[in-house]
Amino acid sequence: MATVGGIKEVEGFANSVEIDGLARFAVDDYNKKQNALLEYKRVVNAKQQVVAGTIYYITLEVEDGGQKKVYEAKIWEKPWLNFKDVQEFKLIGDAPTQSTPTESTA
């Protein structure tokens, strides 16, 4: 059970339809408000804080004009009120280049 007010890691965030949906919601919200064209790619990390609802801190990767960037979104959700609001959406930096994990050097 979540501790009220405490921030904790979201287990299984990489396979979570809910977290993926919140990340896409944040990117869409940003694109509308900033007249931008960020393209959602994936969730890098997710944390949550139980308050009057839940605040999610989602680190996500997007593509911006061919460049991969990492943003952090702070999303407040109250499911019983059908309420969802992006509190903050900020650029953290460029996404690190990484090799494909399925490739082997053997």
Side-chain angles (χ1 to χ4, degrees):
M1 182 165 188
T3 305
V4 175
I7 297 174
K8 68 174 193 117
E9 295 287 329
V10 176
E11 293 182 26
F13 70 84
N15 297 319
S16 171
V17 173
E18 179 185 13
I19 297 298
D20 188 71
L22 288 168
R24 288 177 188 279
F25 173 78
V27 172
D28 290 345
D29 182 75
Y30 178 83
N31 283 341
K32 285 179 201 162
K33 290 179 179 174
Q34 301 297 322
N35 197 24
L37 293 172
L38 298 182
E39 183 183 335
Y40 170 77
K41 291 297 180 187
R42 68 186 182 99
V43 172
V44 177
N45 191 18
K47 296 179 182 179
Q48 66 184 23
Q49 179 180 20
V50 176
V51 290
T54 305
I55 295 178
Y56 292 92
Y57 301 89
I58 301 175
T59 307
L60 55 104
E61 187 178 292
V62 300
E63 193 168 302
D64 183 9
Q67 300 272 40
K68 287 190 178 178
K69 307 256 181 204
V70 177
Y71 281 79
E72 184 174 84
K74 179 180 172 183
I75 306 157
W76 185 17
E77 182 181 42
K78 297 181 195 176
W80 67 96
L81 295 176
N82 201 23
F83 172 85
K84 211 181 319 185
D85 185 54
V86 178
Q87 303 278 299
E88 193 174 321
F89 192 85
K90 64 182 179 184
L91 176 65
I92 294 176
D94 293 335
T97 27
Q98 58 187 359
S99 61
T100 309
T102 55
E103 293 177 3
S104 78
T105 55

